[in-house]
């Protein structure tokens, strides 16, 4: 007789674990920024529509696959037909690549918790900028000169009207920021212009310089290693110990850990929302965040941004929710759980936006500039602008430490869910003990992460992140909806979900899985192929980077196929 599969301690434990995987950095920095970029309120509407027609139906699909086959992703697809096992490994592989760099972001947060306690980033000297010059040179119209540095400007020298020093415009963000006295600030691949020197300093000068230059030691080329950052290695090791310990005995440990790693960041987020809303100028930020530009709803890019944000944020397409679904007890409530998890994730993102934008509003007010000038995205927001803002306020150190503690506790359950999805796959196939599988998978991911502790780390992270989210995740989701929606049958799956739920979902679900989601995905893939920009905008992708990215995507199914053909020892093999 087959061994009884491990299960969650309780329904709450499962719901919290899935929420924990879903909420992460995506809710705190990605969501607010994407919302802002796409016209505030209008984006929120698109986001909620995508949540209900794509995100939640997919969650139901993934939970039901795991629940039905009682296996993690490779085993589940093997049970559909052995010829599909490779696909299950492909999904797990995408998750595996992600955890290698997710742990790096956790390492940054670990070390920044310490930097916050000592206010490390405030001790650097600033950079100078003058928008007048930037505007004259670039022909851009407003003060927030946010554009890729034009080639024609690179290398040009001039005398700064601010400091009367000779300056050169650099294409390289790092050396650009370090040549003090530069009027145009070349930073993160963008050109920034500010009205006054103080504005430039106050906004991003010192903390940004600290993050990219001192802390990460970013190199100007993606393949130029730079220095190995030993302090980061310490944070990285601690992060991995924490991740592995949280899943040490599988669902037994996770079921206990999630009470802390979900409830603590929620509590902290609430604190930051209250803190933000009570600041002067908060209203300005919120207006900026929430005022809808309705005409944007006609823009295809907005829908694209909404659907990819929903997938990323719900952690669907990474084999996680299949594994988590496989640990559900026989009697469960798939549809209701998926609803709760989807809505909780969206609400967390919404609150993340409230916290971030109220603080940005306050900052804009104190600088006397419009909110549009203080917004930056990606690591810029979480590691540069926001920490800088909170540390200008009373109680700087404590709020700084709490902020990074929030990021860490948010990120850890996303990281361990990725690890658990792969571990469970290995365990299902080879019948290895949980601890052994954990150490092998975690150890391998740890080793692969080490090169990202050098000056080229953020470049590699960027490329991997871009390719995994644009093509890895999308191909997995596409495969799932084609296999179930068109292969084994959406109707059969829907009835399975309904048999295991407190309420019935209608035939609309079949429509979503067979038509809406595949169409949306195909559209995403095509527009990504056309779009060469990197998410953090640090540099344009060249052929080497493309090669690296595509190699990752191509290698995954190949490795998946190898693993699928390897002899297993698990149940039914
Ligand atoms: N959903 C997580 C977030 O919002 C990110 C994540 C993606 C986690 C994929 C795990 C897997 O940050």
């Amino acid at each position: 007789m087959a061994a009884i599969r491990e299960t969650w301690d309780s329904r709450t434990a499962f719901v919290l674990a899935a929420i924990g995987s879903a909420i992460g950095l995506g809710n705190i920095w990605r969501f607010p920024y994407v919302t802002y970029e796409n016209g505030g309120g209008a984006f929120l509407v698109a986001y909620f529509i995508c949540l209900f027609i794509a995100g939640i139906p997919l969650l139901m699909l993934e939970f039901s696959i795991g629940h039905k086959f009682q296996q993690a992703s490779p085993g589940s697809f093997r049970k559909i037909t052995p010829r599909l096992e490779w696909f299950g490994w492909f999904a797990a592989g995408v998750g595996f690549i992600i955890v290698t760099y997710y742990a790096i972001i956790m390492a940054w947060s670990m070390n920044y918790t310490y930097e916050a306690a000592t206010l490390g980033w405030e001790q650097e000297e600033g950079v100078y900028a003058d928008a007048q010059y930037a505007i004259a040179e670039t022909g851009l119209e407003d003060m927030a000169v946010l554009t890729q540095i034009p080639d024609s400007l690179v290398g040009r020298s001039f005398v700064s009207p601010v400091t009367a020093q000779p300056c050169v415009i650099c294409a390289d963000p790092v050396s650009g920021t370090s040549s003090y006295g530069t009027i145009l600030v070349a930073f993160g691949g963008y050109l920034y212009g500010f009205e006054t020197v103080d504005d430039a300093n106050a906004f991003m000068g010192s903390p940004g310089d600290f993050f990219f230059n001192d802390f990460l030691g970013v190199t100007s080329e993606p393949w130029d290693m730079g220095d190995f950052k030993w302090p980061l290695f310490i944070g990285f090791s601690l992060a991995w110990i924490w991740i592995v310990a949280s899943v040490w005995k599988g669902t037994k440990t996770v079921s206990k850990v999630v009470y802390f790693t979900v409830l603590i960041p929620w509590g902290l987020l609430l604190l930051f929302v209250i803190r933000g809303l009570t600041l002067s100028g908060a209203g300005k930020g919120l207006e900026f965040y929430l005022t809808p530009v309705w005409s944007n709803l006609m823009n295809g890019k907005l829908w694209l941004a909404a659907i990819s944000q929903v997938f990323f944020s719900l952690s669907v397409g990474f084999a996680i929710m299949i594994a988590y679904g496989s640990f559900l007890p026989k009697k469960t409530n798939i549809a209701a759980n998926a609803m709760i998890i989807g809505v909780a994730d969206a609400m967390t993102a919404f609150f993340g936006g409230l916290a971030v934008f109220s603080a940005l509003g306050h900052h804009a007010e104190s600088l006397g500039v419009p909110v549009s000038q203080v917004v930056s995205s990606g690591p810029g927001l979480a590691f540069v602008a926001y920490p800088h803002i909170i540390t200008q306020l009373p109680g700087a150190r404590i709020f700084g430490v709490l902020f990074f503690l929030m990021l860490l506790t948010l990120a850890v359950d996303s990281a361990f869910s990725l690890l658990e999805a792969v571990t469970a796959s290995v365990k299902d196939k080879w019948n290895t003990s949980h601890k052994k599988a954990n150490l092998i998978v975690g150890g391998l991911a740890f080793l692969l992460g080490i090169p990202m502790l050098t000056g080229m780390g953020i470049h590699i992270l960027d490329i991997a992140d871009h390719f995994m989210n644009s093509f890895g995740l999308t191909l997995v989701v596409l495969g799932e909806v084609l296999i179930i929606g068109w292969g084994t049958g959406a109707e059969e799956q829907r009835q399975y979900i309904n048999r295991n739920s407190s309420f019935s979902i209608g035939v609309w679900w079949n429509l979503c899985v067979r038509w809406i989601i595949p169409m949306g995905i195909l559209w995403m893939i095509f527009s990504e192929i056309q779009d060469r920009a990197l998410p953090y905008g640090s540099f344009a992708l060249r052929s080497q980077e493309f090669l690296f990215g595509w190699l990752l995507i191509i290698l995954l199914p190949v490795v998946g196929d190898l693993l699928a053909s390897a002899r297993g020892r698990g149940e039914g093999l």
Side-chain angles (χ1 to χ4, degrees):
M1 213 184 83
I4 294 176
R5 194 171 182 79
E6 54 175 313
T7 53
W8 302 101
D9 280 5
S10 65
R11 177 177 177 192
T12 317
F14 160 72
V15 169
L16 283 180
I19 291 178
S21 170
I23 61 174
L25 301 169
N27 303 59
I28 299 299
W29 66 256
R30 202 171 186 276
F31 177 84
Y33 170 68
V34 175
T35 307
Y36 143 70
E37 199 179 60
N38 289 285
F43 177 82
L44 281 181
V45 172
Y47 181 83
F48 275 97
I49 293 177
C50 290
L51 179 71
F52 286 103
I53 64 171
I56 292 176
L58 260 178
L59 264 186
M60 293 176 182
L61 177 71
E62 292 202 349
F63 287 150
S64 66
I65 294 175
H67 186 253
K68 184 169 174 184
F69 299 111
Q70 291 287 294
Q71 291 268 319
S73 160
S76 289
F77 286 99
R78 181 175 62 237
K79 283 197 170 170
I80 293 174
T81 155
R83 275 177 311 169
L84 280 178
E85 186 183 334
W86 70 270
F87 176 76
W89 285 109
F90 174 56
V94 173
F96 178 75
I97 303 278
I98 291 184
V99 78
T100 61
Y101 68 77
Y102 215 83
I104 300 285
I105 305 180
M106 282 185 68
W108 298 347
S109 313
M110 277 281 180
N111 286 33
Y112 253 60
T113 313
Y114 168 77
E115 301 293 349
T118 56
L119 292 185
W121 60 77
E122 298 294 323
Q123 281 147 28
E124 281 289 301
E125 228 184 293
V127 248
Y128 300 96
D130 178 4
Q132 295 314 326
Y133 185 86
I135 289 162
E137 283 296 307
T138 57
L140 290 164
E141 341 157 309
D142 75 338
M143 292 293 177
V145 186
L146 296 168
T147 180
Q148 209 80 37
I149 300 163
D151 277 349
S152 56
L153 287 181
V154 172
R156 199 184 288 190
S157 52
F158 55 89
V159 175
S160 161
V162 180
T163 61
Q165 285 177 20
C167 310
V168 180
I169 300 173
C170 304
D172 157 20
V174 177
S175 54
T177 53
S178 57
S179 58
Y180 297 122
T182 305
I183 293 174
L184 293 175
V185 179
F187 179 78
Y190 291 98
L191 197 61
Y192 289 80
F194 290 88
E195 206 161 1
T196 67
V197 173
D198 281 349
D199 288 354
N201 273 330
F203 170 50
M204 43 69 76
S206 38
D209 198 28
F210 177 79
F211 178 64
F212 290 104
N213 236 345
D214 297 35
F215 183 70
L216 296 181
V218 182
T219 52
S220 53
E221 286 279 315
W223 307 109
D224 173 5
M225 271 254 191
D227 295 332
F228 187 81
K229 292 287 177 187
W230 284 104
L232 259 185
F233 181 76
I234 300 173
F236 181 66
S237 309
L238 291 176
W240 265 111
I241 293 173
W242 192 11
I243 298 170
V244 171
S246 310
V247 284
W248 192 238
K249 288 187 184 161
T251 48
K252 288 282 147 291
T253 323
V254 173
S255 293
K256 298 190 177 63
V257 168
V258 286
Y259 284 93
F260 299 95
T261 52
V262 175
L263 299 180
I264 290 176
W266 267 349
L268 289 173
L269 181 58
L270 196 65
L271 178 79
F272 281 104
V273 171
I274 295 171
R275 175 86 184 140
L277 293 180
T278 50
L279 291 171
S280 64
K284 261 172 110 183
L286 295 186
E287 199 184 308
F288 195 74
Y289 173 43
L290 299 172
T291 308
V293 181
W294 292 110
S295 57
N296 279 3
L297 275 180
M298 302 306 289
N299 181 349
K301 277 219 173 291
L302 172 134
W303 289 92
L304 222 50
I307 196 167
S308 34
Q309 175 63 23
V310 164
F311 287 166
F312 179 80
S313 192
L314 286 182
S315 311
V316 289
F318 303 99
I320 298 171
M321 298 306 184
I322 299 182
Y324 275 17
S326 76
F327 305 134
L328 280 170
K330 274 224 143 31
K331 210 172 135 18
T332 185
N333 195 344
I334 294 176
N337 287 343
M339 282 286 186
I340 295 171
I341 292 159
V343 172
D345 180 55
M347 290 318 292
T348 309
F350 183 73
F351 272 78
L354 289 182
V356 169
F357 277 92
S358 51
L360 290 176
H362 170 74
H363 195 50
E365 189 186 74
S366 62
L367 292 177
V369 296
V371 181
S372 60
Q373 282 183 39
V374 286
V375 170
S376 78
S377 66
L381 191 56
F383 290 94
V384 182
Y386 195 74
H388 177 61
I389 297 172
I390 46 175
T391 47
Q392 301 291 304
L393 301 168
R397 285 165 211 261
I398 184 80
F399 277 103
V401 170
L402 288 178
F403 178 72
F404 287 102
L405 208 65
M406 176 174 78
L407 286 192
L408 274 172
T409 44
L410 273 174
V412 72
D413 10 30
S414 299
F416 71 61
S417 69
L418 287 160
L419 176 65
E420 183 60 22
V422 187
T423 301
S425 309
V426 170
K427 218 177 114 189
D428 283 348
K429 172 113 186 174
W430 287 284
N431 239 350
T432 11
S433 78
H434 196 279
K435 290 174 191 164
K436 198 168 149 196
N438 235 329
L439 287 177
I440 294 172
V441 179
L444 201 61
F446 177 85
L447 290 178
L448 287 175
I450 288 178
M452 285 187 264
L453 299 171
T454 64
M456 66 172 187
I458 197 170
H459 300 311
I460 305 295
L461 191 153
D462 248 357
I463 301 170
D465 184 61
H466 180 68
F467 276 87
M468 286 305 123
N469 289 312
S470 310
F471 303 111
L473 170 157
T474 41
L475 289 174
V476 171
V477 172
L478 184 65
E480 283 173 359
V481 289
L482 292 182
I483 292 167
I484 305 291
W486 293 91
T488 61
E491 181 55 24
E492 191 189 312
Q493 199 74 15
R494 186 175 73 89
Q495 284 171 12
Y496 182 86
I497 296 173
N498 285 345
R499 276 200 301 280
N500 293 289
S501 299
S502 57
F503 62 89
S504 294
I505 48 169
V507 283
W508 58 267
W509 188 84
N510 301 2
L511 198 72
C512 294
V513 169
R514 281 164 70 90
W515 292 103
I516 297 174
I517 299 173
M519 298 282 195
I521 293 279
L522 286 176
W523 182 30
M524 272 167 83
I525 294 179
F526 283 123
S527 66
E528 275 303 336
I529 289 177
Q530 285 171 352
D531 195 0
R532 287 188 141 221
L534 271 181
Y536 301 154
S538 47
F539 54 87
L541 286 177
R542 298 165 312 179
S543 26
Q544 304 87 301
E545 288 83 52
F546 262 100
L547 199 69
F548 173 74
W550 281 115
L551 253 169
L552 281 180
I553 298 288
I554 293 164
L555 269 179
L556 284 178
V558 175
V559 173
D561 198 40
L562 282 176
L563 290 171
S565 18
R567 273 254 307 276
R569 262 181 279 143
E571 186 197 334
L573 287 165

